[in-house]
Amino acid sequence: MEIPALAIQAAIILAIFGITLLIATYCTWAERRIAGYLQDRPGPNRVGPWGLGQPLADAVKLFFKEEFIPATANKWLFIAGPSLAMLTALMSSAVVPFGNTILSDTFGTTRIQGIEVNIGMLYVFGVVSLGVYGIMIGGWASNNKFSLLGAIRAASQNISYEIAMGLSIIAMLMMTGTLSLREIALQQSEPLFGISGFNWNIFYQPLGFIIFLTCSFAETNRTPFDLPESEAELVGGYHTEYGSMKLGLYLFAEYVNIIVASAVMSTLYFGGFNFPFQDQVGALISSDPVVAHNAVTIIGTVVLFLKIFGFIFFFMWVRWTLPRFRYDQLLNLGWKGLIPLSIINIVLTGAGILLYEYFKG
Amino acid sequence: MTITEKMYLPAIFQGLSITMRHFFKKKPTIQYPEQKREFGREFRGLHVLRRDEQGRERCTACGLCAVACPAEAITMVAGERKKGEENLYREEKYAVTYEINMLRCIFCGLCEEACPKEAIFLQNDKTAPPRFERDEFIYGKDRLVEPLSRANSKENIKYRY
């Protein structure tokens, strides 16, 4: 790649990084506001207009709290735990296509995506499954039996749900025939019922989507699957011994994970950066195909972020609706419920594809 | 469990719809420092030592309030009225010092009931404000006796009898 192209790519990577962090910051605010609204109270609204300064105040508080490392803890692993959780959470946003391409004469074609790799989905899975190391190492290094229990729970939960998640994706892959997130998003721009940009995978894979959604709740350790940090049983779970910004990083990593999970779900099942009637909208804006393409790309990025916000809201909505699972229920649902279901989904998808090709001729 | 129950999803959607209804409900929260709840007529708040129609202190330091007080928050020192002080105190005996420890007071209103001279009342529109130092909670006569200007105001009449 040439230098300007590399510079643009670096700028886009930085922008995605910054936007992810910004959204994660304001997720903490949104979580508390939504929690309040769902429980008939206003939530934090004191710091700044509508309480928008709350994340900054929280950050200042976390940074100024005393750094405390227990005497019997493994010091280096204790520090490595939250760093690893945050690192893996942020890494996975690199391959998510946040928009189509921007065409211009001077810079050529620019993708609104950190890096385009043809194994994007595998990369996300690989990095997300590494995220459990952050929790595991943190729980182990604390030298506290409750932390260790929380960490072990997190590990076994992630393993059992990652299988179902992977299997639900296999049905997707049978349809799309590619692992590249960008390719999957582009395939969904085809017209459906004469509506352009509406060929979303949710219409072909509703069961797969429900499995994937459930598994992403478990993967991000959100209620009803937040057993690694169930404060009633485990004091605080894997982060019992953590304070100040190290705890902050753990909590922050959870929100980054939610954003990535929302982005991946939007891309895989809800058309990614495609939106209904996008060709018509493009034609309406300009007759010049390049300008129309760029305008649709920008609107598409906004639409993708709206989808992501919708999913984030859904995550929070569910959190304040459903009670936590018991641990054996959680494992039962994962191994006896979701894994057989996703295998059935694979069989159904395979049959569907064969039938489609048979009747198509 | 039946099959529909085992699928979890119908119940989950029902729960989600319930919480969503609450999302749009009007919030009953009172934004405290800006908004204040109306106190009821029978609310027992901050104490006041009343004056009579001519602006004289009604309290005669009989000590019945201190006896009635279950928290032993009230202390007083009685004194004899000198010549020329008839416009200050209603009877020959008066309270030289009269102190209520607001940290001890439980706002039960027994002092109000015990008082034979209708001198001490718990106001229904004022609470003891928060302070930072403990000794600031010991209210002396300077903060308890109502100011002369308020002695015959209209809202005070209702406390008299």
Side-chain angles (χ1 to χ4, degrees):
Chain A
M1 257 198 278
E2 293 163 37
I3 296 297
L6 272 179
I8 291 169
Q9 213 57 38
I12 285 172
I13 289 172
L14 271 182
I16 288 172
F17 188 68
I19 288 169
T20 314
L21 284 178
L22 184 76
I23 296 175
T25 314
Y26 275 89
C27 271
T28 61
W29 169 82
E31 171 97 61
R32 292 169 67 187
R33 285 291 273 189
I34 288 167
Y37 265 70
L38 291 173
Q39 295 173 345
D40 295 335
R41 56 189 174 84
N45 59 356
R46 290 279 141 181
V47 194
W50 306 293
L52 280 173
Q54 190 69 47
L56 303 177
D58 288 343
V60 168
K61 187 196 83 176
L62 284 172
F63 274 114
F64 279 90
K65 274 179 115 174
E66 186 190 353
E67 286 280 340
F68 183 77
I69 298 176
T72 49
N74 185 331
K75 200 175 169 194
W76 293 112
L77 288 183
F78 193 80
I79 295 167
S83 329
L84 205 58
M86 194 68 201
L87 180 77
T88 51
L90 281 170
M91 267 168 74
S92 40
S93 66
V95 294
V96 176
F98 283 98
N100 204 346
T101 49
I102 296 265
L103 307 171
S104 68
D105 295 331
T106 41
F107 298 116
T109 308
T110 312
R111 276 180 271 101
I112 307 182
Q113 185 180 12
I115 31 170
E116 158 65 9
V117 281
N118 53 7
I119 51 154
M121 200 55 230
L122 267 185
Y123 173 86
V124 170
F125 268 64
V127 170
V128 164
S129 59
L130 281 179
V132 75
Y133 277 94
I135 292 171
M136 194 70 215
I137 286 173
W140 167 258
S142 300
N143 201 4
N144 172 330
K145 61 186 167 200
F146 292 113
S147 303
L148 185 61
L149 271 174
I152 291 171
R153 279 181 173 209
S156 63
Q157 169 182 328
N158 274 35
I159 290 167
S160 48
Y161 278 82
E162 213 144 89
I163 294 170
M165 200 181 200
L167 286 176
S168 71
I169 280 302
I170 284 185
M172 260 296 286
L173 297 180
M174 286 160 67
M175 277 179 48
T176 57
T178 176
L179 274 166
S180 155
L181 282 170
R182 189 179 141 71
E183 273 299 309
I184 292 173
L186 283 176
Q187 281 175 6
Q188 298 179 68
S189 66
E190 305 292 315
L192 179 76
F193 309 128
I195 304 172
S196 66
F198 205 52
N199 190 28
W200 295 358
N201 287 327
I202 177 77
F203 302 122
Y204 306 106
Q205 290 284 333
L207 184 60
F209 171 66
I210 289 169
I211 296 166
F212 193 87
L213 184 71
T214 316
C215 294
S216 24
F217 272 92
E219 285 282 311
T220 49
N221 296 331
R222 293 285 294 183
T223 325
F225 305 109
D226 61 343
L227 284 142
E229 45 192 289
S230 54
E231 67 282 349
E233 304 148 42
L234 295 176
V235 190
Y238 61 89
H239 56 52
T240 307
E241 298 288 354
Y242 282 88
S244 75
M245 202 54 207
K246 288 207 278 299
L247 174 71
L249 279 183
Y250 267 133
L251 303 182
F252 209 54
E254 184 184 312
Y255 285 105
V256 177
N257 274 327
I258 290 170
I259 294 164
V260 172
S262 305
V264 169
M265 272 192 285
S266 312
T267 308
L268 287 180
Y269 290 99
F270 282 85
F273 45 74
N274 298 299
F275 55 96
F277 302 111
Q278 57 183 3
D279 292 354
Q280 285 85 339
V281 169
L284 205 70
I285 288 170
S286 173
S287 53
D288 182 5
V290 174
V291 177
H293 176 87
N294 287 349
V296 166
T297 300
I298 290 165
I299 298 171
T301 305
V302 173
V303 167
L304 177 65
F305 273 104
L306 289 181
K307 285 172 190 171
I308 291 173
F309 291 148
F311 270 112
I312 292 172
F313 179 81
F314 185 72
F315 268 95
M316 291 168 182
W317 183 13
V318 168
R319 172 166 181 183
W320 299 101
T321 303
L322 298 182
R324 186 179 290 140
F325 275 67
R326 215 172 54 219
Y327 201 69
D328 59 316
Q329 290 172 334
L330 171 113
L331 287 183
N332 265 340
L333 182 70
W335 288 97
K336 294 185 187 166
L338 293 178
I339 292 175
L341 259 183
S342 51
I343 292 173
I344 290 171
N345 188 37
I346 291 174
V347 172
L348 286 178
T349 310
I353 292 171
L354 279 182
L355 279 176
Y356 177 74
E357 285 183 355
Y358 178 77
F359 283 112
K360 210 177 143 199
Chain B
M1 285 202 291
T2 61
I3 291 178
T4 44
E5 278 172 349
K6 265 189 183 165
M7 276 172 63
Y8 290 117
L9 289 177
I12 287 173
F13 284 123
Q14 198 189 348
L16 287 173
S17 73
I18 290 170
T19 41
M20 191 35 72
R21 248 174 282 148
H22 281 271
F23 189 89
F24 292 108
K25 262 189 190 163
K26 202 175 165 289
K27 310 297 170 222
T29 309
I30 294 169
Q31 303 283 348
Y32 169 63
E34 296 91 26
Q35 275 176 4
K36 280 179 183 151
R37 196 197 293 269
E38 284 266 322
F39 292 132
R41 272 177 50 83
E42 57 288 320
F43 180 79
R44 294 193 291 257
L46 191 63
H47 312 68
V48 66
L49 286 170
R50 299 247 172 248
R51 295 174 187 272
D52 70 355
E53 296 83 349
Q54 293 153 40
R56 302 176 297 188
E57 286 176 22
R58 302 174 74 98
C59 178
T60 62
C62 64
L64 281 176
C65 51
V67 171
C69 183
E72 300 185 353
I74 303 176
T75 50
M76 68 183 75
V77 175
E80 205 177 330
R81 183 177 70 182
K82 303 273 182 341
K83 261 215 151 51
E85 288 181 336
E86 287 85 353
N87 59 332
L88 293 176
Y89 313 112
R90 204 156 78 139
E91 316 221 352
E92 291 92 64
K93 208 164 134 234
Y94 74 100
V96 180
T97 64
Y98 190 103
E99 285 180 344
I100 302 178
N101 187 340
M102 291 299 169
L103 291 171
R104 300 196 64 129
C105 178
I106 55 168
F107 299 91
C108 60
L110 289 184
C111 49
E112 192 177 351
E113 280 180 37
C115 184
K117 297 291 180 188
E118 310 273 346
I120 189 162
F121 282 95
L122 297 166
Q123 300 161 96
N124 70 352
D125 57 347
K126 257 190 206 147
T127 51
R131 306 264 178 188
F132 290 106
E133 303 295 332
R134 288 185 78 82
D135 52 1
E136 287 177 3
F137 282 100
I138 296 168
Y139 277 52
K141 271 182 87 173
D142 53 333
R143 283 192 277 173
L144 287 171
V145 179
E146 70 181 333
L148 266 172
S149 55
R150 271 191 62 197
N152 277 321
S153 62
K154 211 180 253 173
E155 73 260 28
N156 271 0
I157 306 292
K158 70 183 174 197
Y159 288 105
R160 290 252 159 85
Y161 302 106

